[in-house]
Amino acid sequence: AAVDAEITRLGIEHDKDGNRAKAFLYCLETRCPKTGWMVPMAPSWIISNKARIIAKLVPNAPQKRYDIEIHLDVSDDELKEAGLGTVRDGRLVHPMNSEHSGIEIKTIRGDHRDLDGNNQNKLRRWQQSDFAPLDEDIYQERLYCIQWITQASLGGTREETFFASVTTEDVAREQAAIATVFAGLADWMANGFVPEIRIEHGDETSRLHRERGWTHWHHMFAPRQLVTQAAFAKAAKSSPILKVDFCSSLNISSKICRIDPTVHQGGLVKFAQVFDNQALNPQMNYAVRSAYMNMRSGLIGYPERMRLADYNVDCVDARNIKTHSDLFITDPPYADAVNYHEITEFFIAWLRKNPPPPFDQWTWDSQRSLAIKGKDEDFRRAMVDAYSAMTRHMPDNGLQVVMFTHQDAGVWADLGAILWAAGLRVTGAWNIVTETQSALKEGNYVQGTICFVLRKRLGQSNARRMEIEAEIEDAVKRKLDSLSSIHDEWHGETLYTDGDLTLAAYAAALEVVTGYSTIDRQPLDRDLYRKLAKGERTMLRDLIDYAENVANNVLVPSGFPREMWRDLDKSERYYVRMLDMEDKGSAKVADFQNFAKSFAYADYADLMASSAANNARLSGAADLKGKMLDGDGFAETQLRQVLFAIWKAMDKNDPKLGVTTLKSEYTADYWPRRQKLIGLAEYVSAKTKRTRPEESAAAHELAEALKVDRV
């Protein structure tokens, strides 16, 4: 209520008709060196796909800039054109530049190396007193659209919204917000209502300096957001509950909140939160929620029983824990996948000056130097120390729950050794779906997190390697069968990707091996505390890989003969799987890279016709022609010979040439192989109908010619 009253007093969210703003859409703007035009920057000008709402750039020649109009219910062609944006593959492209390829963003930014070989650019580094660009800055910021809530529906169960272009009155309200920040910023900082600390350099945070010139945490917030958050911070000064709400509000309030045009719920376009992923990614165009929506969306709304609950909060290093507990729940960092010790400073910067009890007892610093990070032997030793301390401080019937997601088999092997060395064994592993499908995530990404249930390993037992492998095979099959049955009963979106099922196989392996004290009389942590040589493998890594192979044997791509899958080598499996993914529309290079990791196939690049970021594709028969026929790996597989035969059939439009090619290659055992060669040709034909129709037709004709071949 206090925040709302302040915003209403300032008059920066209501138009002359009494409509109230829901969200403001901004973009960067820069001067094109080629033309001298000021160009709005965005990877897409689509506001909503479903509602067919776009922002359209209209050249204003006298001013050498673009007016931005909001168009509703546009045609397919207009929607497609808007989707191209003005920032394409790292280049600025706009209609008034006759060079259609545009100009590289790094050129506009002035990227270069200094005398010491460090990457630099010409972006001005913002000062503490800055909160908006100066006139001389390379990047300007521009309001280009407002989403309004009609006055008649305001506060109702179903508020009506509409998008509108920016008017002169809107610009005046924007200037009023800027003037409010200009007048109040120094006082807000002095009282701790707005952060005054610098953004320290790090693996994650340095991009803010590099890509925008931001040097202090408040630079990430638009003037309107600073007004709102300063008012909220003042109101929440003495309340622990409101401080947590305040953090939730911060997570939907910054200039890195992405506009998602693919989601359109109840008439409302979705705007992402700051931690849409565990990174700080500056956006070319972004959404600023109004104070009205910030207060409605950002507050958690605790049940009264939680407000009255008895609790104790300690902020301590896990290695120095003193309290005994029945249950520990951890979400550990690993292999520097997420720089928690850096991104946490996003919240610390806002909270550090006015923390209410009991948070006033905390050290309000990220303590970067104490972070357990990396993936070498020192990191593994520190992780063992942390989990051992928790194990010592829980009863024999206590539990630990570890949430974990990582696609590297080596990381899973290390995790298993760490948990084993801490005296723990995995007694259960559950795949919890924590992500939803998104246009940003295609291919072999994971949608879930593995939740391990851990207990103390109290007994002493040994197992032989062969027995362990048999147990792992049974455990993996049970786990995948269980997930498949859940998936089959689910009638909504895809629950588990191949990546999720691979993680389930890793988890099943850890469930088996951590139950034993030794394997072949050897402890699992024998290699944990030393530096491994490049390419060196541990016993646990071999067992994790064995679990992955069991899973790969089960995960047969749709349409491929199951009885043939087991006989394929990793290069063939990779090619067969990616043919299936291409048929489903995958074209992101990350998809190909992720599946290469799943199949442990390091030479996948040899099979790529294109590795462009969004136009990746396999080499087809016509791309390979006579290449990769000699040597080991893919070159010696039956699939490679079938692709060569398909090309021979295509080249002369004669499938008999393909048959002759295969007979020449397999002189001694052509007839025993023939059914598998037919199966491979039919699969290639089925999966290339859409992507390479000429190859599909030739593969079909080759398969038919093989079928009618007689002695």
Side-chain angles (χ1 to χ4, degrees):
V3 175
D4 193 57
E6 176 66 9
I7 299 300
T8 301
R9 182 185 70 80
L10 294 172
I12 58 177
E13 284 194 2
H14 291 85
D15 70 4
K16 61 183 179 181
D17 298 321
N19 301 318
R20 182 151 191 177
K22 173 181 171 60
F24 304 86
L25 307 189
Y26 291 80
C27 66
L28 296 187
E29 192 171 42
T30 193
R31 191 169 299 281
C32 173
K34 295 279 187 180
T35 63
W37 278 60
M38 286 296 291
V39 183
M41 305 174 70
S44 171
W45 293 108
I46 298 175
I47 296 171
S48 170
N49 273 308
K50 186 174 181 180
R52 295 179 172 272
I53 303 171
I54 65 169
K56 186 171 184 178
L57 304 188
V58 180
N60 184 332
Q63 296 184 23
K64 278 201 165 186
R65 69 192 302 264
Y66 291 90
D67 298 327
I68 303 180
E69 298 176 350
I70 305 304
H71 289 217
L72 314 177
D73 195 25
V74 299
S75 66
D76 288 344
D77 289 342
E78 290 174 304
L79 198 67
K80 183 177 180 181
E81 182 180 359
L84 296 175
T86 47
V87 178
R88 308 174 193 172
D89 295 325
R91 304 180 73 88
L92 183 71
V93 180
H94 64 106
M96 301 311 293
N97 183 4
S98 58
E99 295 183 16
H100 299 303
S101 62
I103 184 170
E104 288 187 308
I105 299 297
K106 64 182 183 181
T107 301
I108 296 172
R109 202 168 48 209
D111 289 6
H112 64 280
R113 290 185 182 273
D114 62 19
L115 295 177
D116 296 323
N118 300 314
N119 292 323
Q120 302 288 350
N121 59 46
K122 294 182 180 179
L123 293 180
R124 181 183 69 88
R125 298 308 187 248
W126 288 27
Q127 303 301 306
Q128 186 187 60
S129 58
D130 290 327
F131 58 88
L134 301 181
D135 290 343
E136 64 267 23
D137 282 344
I138 292 174
Y139 289 149
Q140 299 295 308
E141 295 169 355
R142 177 174 178 178
L143 174 66
Y144 69 89
C145 178
I146 301 177
Q147 184 181 17
W148 295 98
I149 304 171
T150 62
Q151 182 186 29
S153 68
L154 194 64
T157 55
R158 189 177 181 84
E159 293 176 330
E160 296 179 7
T161 72
F162 63 93
F163 290 86
S165 303
V166 176
T167 66
T168 54
E169 291 83 3
D170 297 327
V171 174
R173 285 186 284 272
E174 182 78 1
Q175 291 303 316
I178 292 173
T180 301
V181 178
F182 185 80
L185 185 61
D187 183 61
W188 294 343
M189 286 183 173
N191 287 285
F193 302 146
V194 167
E196 60 182 350
I197 64 173
R198 297 184 63 85
I199 301 171
E200 298 297 329
H201 283 278
D203 292 336
E204 182 61 42
T205 49
S206 288
R207 71 174 58 172
L208 302 175
H209 297 252
R210 183 176 63 251
E211 296 181 21
R212 293 294 182 271
W214 297 336
T215 59
H216 290 69
W217 285 104
H218 73 282
H219 294 159
M220 293 178 61
F221 295 79
R224 290 178 175 279
Q225 292 170 323
L226 291 173
V227 174
T228 300
Q229 297 309 127
F232 194 174
K234 183 177 181 181
K237 183 176 181 180
S238 59
S239 168
I241 291 293
L242 281 178
K243 278 293 186 181
V244 179
D245 276 334
F246 179 61
C247 287
S248 179
S249 174
L250 287 172
N251 190 36
I252 58 172
S253 302
S254 94
K255 291 188 283 192
I256 64 175
C257 287
R258 178 176 54 83
I259 301 168
D260 188 349
T262 64
V263 179
H264 196 273
Q265 300 168 328
L268 307 179
V269 175
K270 180 181 177 182
F271 307 125
Q273 56 192 7
V274 172
F275 291 104
D276 192 32
N277 57 16
Q278 289 78 30
L280 298 169
N281 298 311
Q283 304 292 317
M284 293 289 182
N285 62 328
Y286 52 90
V288 170
R289 292 171 174 83
S290 66
Y292 176 72
M293 287 309 300
N294 186 293
M295 294 298 101
R296 295 183 64 183
S297 304
L299 303 188
I300 296 173
Y302 300 90
E304 193 63 28
R305 64 181 181 275
M306 291 182 66
R307 295 173 182 266
L308 300 176
D310 187 20
Y311 61 88
N312 184 61
V313 179
D314 294 317
C315 187
V316 297
D317 189 320
R319 291 165 287 189
N320 300 324
I321 194 168
K322 298 294 190 292
T323 305
H324 280 75
S325 298
D326 296 313
L327 173 65
F328 290 94
I329 303 174
T330 56
D331 185 0
Y334 213 93
D336 289 343
V338 179
N339 292 295
Y340 292 108
H341 53 290
E342 295 178 14
I343 62 178
T344 307
E345 294 170 359
F346 173 86
F347 297 105
I348 290 174
W350 284 88
L351 300 174
R352 59 192 297 271
K353 267 202 171 183
N354 296 306
F359 304 123
D360 57 345
Q361 302 303 310
W362 287 20
T363 299
W364 282 96
D365 183 271
S366 66
Q367 302 283 285
R368 286 193 186 192
S369 61
L370 298 181
I372 297 178
K373 54 187 177 180
K375 56 181 179 180
D376 56 16
E377 63 274 16
D378 292 334
F379 171 77
R380 297 191 292 267
R381 184 177 290 107
M383 288 280 280
V384 171
D385 291 344
Y387 278 104
S388 295
M390 287 184 276
T391 303
R392 289 193 302 270
H393 287 83
M394 77 180 196
D396 287 351
N397 64 344
L399 291 173
Q400 291 196 37
V401 175
V402 175
M403 294 174 279
F404 194 73
T405 295
H406 206 289
Q407 289 187 284
D408 190 316
V411 170
W412 280 82
D414 282 351
L415 176 69
I418 287 165
L419 298 178
W420 185 93
L424 295 165
R425 64 187 179 95
V426 179
T427 59
W430 305 85
N431 287 58
I432 309 299
V433 178
T434 55
E435 306 291 335
T436 56
Q437 286 181 315
S438 165
L440 297 179
K441 299 181 293 186
E442 298 178 7
N444 198 33
Y445 67 92
V446 294
Q447 296 192 165
T449 295
I450 303 293
C451 287
F452 291 107
V453 180
L454 308 172
R455 296 180 183 272
K456 286 186 177 180
R457 191 179 60 258
L458 300 174
Q460 297 291 322
S461 58
N462 176 65
R464 292 187 301 167
R465 175 73 174 266
M466 290 178 61
E467 296 170 341
I468 287 285
E469 290 181 352
E471 286 191 56
I472 287 175
E473 186 165 351
D474 291 340
V476 170
K477 289 179 179 178
R478 285 197 304 271
K479 181 67 71 176
L480 298 188
D481 286 345
S482 173
L483 296 181
S484 295
S485 64
I486 295 172
H487 189 282
D488 291 342
E489 293 174 7
W490 184 258
H491 300 295
E493 62 192 67
T494 299
L495 281 181
Y496 301 115
T497 66
D498 281 5
D500 289 305
L501 298 178
T502 301
L503 299 195
Y506 296 159
L510 294 191
E511 199 167 347
V512 172
V513 299
T514 57
Y516 292 96
S517 303
T518 55
I519 297 176
D520 288 340
R521 302 298 176 186
Q522 296 293 322
L524 267 67
D525 65 343
R526 65 180 184 179
D527 302 309
L528 193 62
Y529 306 113
R530 66 179 180 84
K531 189 174 184 64
L532 299 176
K534 185 176 181 181
E536 184 180 359
R537 303 179 65 80
T538 65
M539 176 174 59
L540 193 49
R541 173 61 190 270
D542 287 339
L543 292 173
I544 292 291
D545 284 348
Y546 182 78
E548 182 177 41
N549 288 333
V550 173
N552 286 339
N553 283 334
V554 176
L555 300 175
V556 183
S558 62
F560 193 82
R562 181 171 294 273
E563 66 279 2
M564 290 174 53
W565 180 250
R566 183 180 292 270
D567 297 331
L568 301 183
D569 82 345
K570 59 186 178 182
S571 65
E572 287 179 296
R573 286 184 176 181
Y574 175 77
Y575 195 94
V576 165
R577 167 58 75 189
M578 296 320 298
L579 278 179
D580 185 48
M581 294 304 298
E582 280 190 331
D583 184 46
K584 293 175 180 176
S586 287
K588 294 183 180 295
V589 70
D591 296 346
F592 292 84
Q593 293 168 340
N594 288 335
F595 273 103
K597 291 178 183 177
S598 289
F599 289 108
Y601 182 48
D603 299 326
Y604 78 95
D606 295 339
L607 302 183
M608 301 295 294
S610 169
S611 295
N614 295 305
N615 192 32
R617 67 180 183 87
L618 286 174
S619 294
D623 299 303
L624 291 170
K625 297 180 181 176
K627 295 181 293 185
M628 294 181 67
L629 288 173
D630 297 318
D632 53 10
F634 190 66
E636 60 183 0
T637 65
Q638 290 184 113
L639 178 56
R640 176 64 194 100
Q641 294 301 326
V642 167
L643 290 171
F644 182 56
I646 292 171
W647 175 67
K648 283 289 191 179
M650 292 171 62
D651 189 42
K652 300 297 183 180
N653 196 26
D654 184 359
K656 292 181 181 179
L657 285 176
V659 175
T660 302
T661 298
L662 293 173
K663 282 186 171 182
S664 299
E665 177 65 24
Y666 300 116
T667 306
D669 57 353
Y670 164 75
W671 295 105
R673 292 178 182 264
R674 187 171 66 112
Q675 287 304 318
K676 290 183 178 180
L677 299 175
I678 291 171
L680 290 170
E682 288 182 329
Y683 183 80
V684 171
S685 175
K687 296 300 178 180
T688 56
K689 282 183 179 178
R690 183 183 62 83
T691 55
R692 296 185 287 275
E694 185 180 356
E695 179 176 330
S696 175
H700 172 72
E701 291 176 358
L702 174 64
E704 293 302 310
L706 287 168
K707 288 178 184 178
V708 300
D709 193 21
R710 294 290 182 268
V711 177

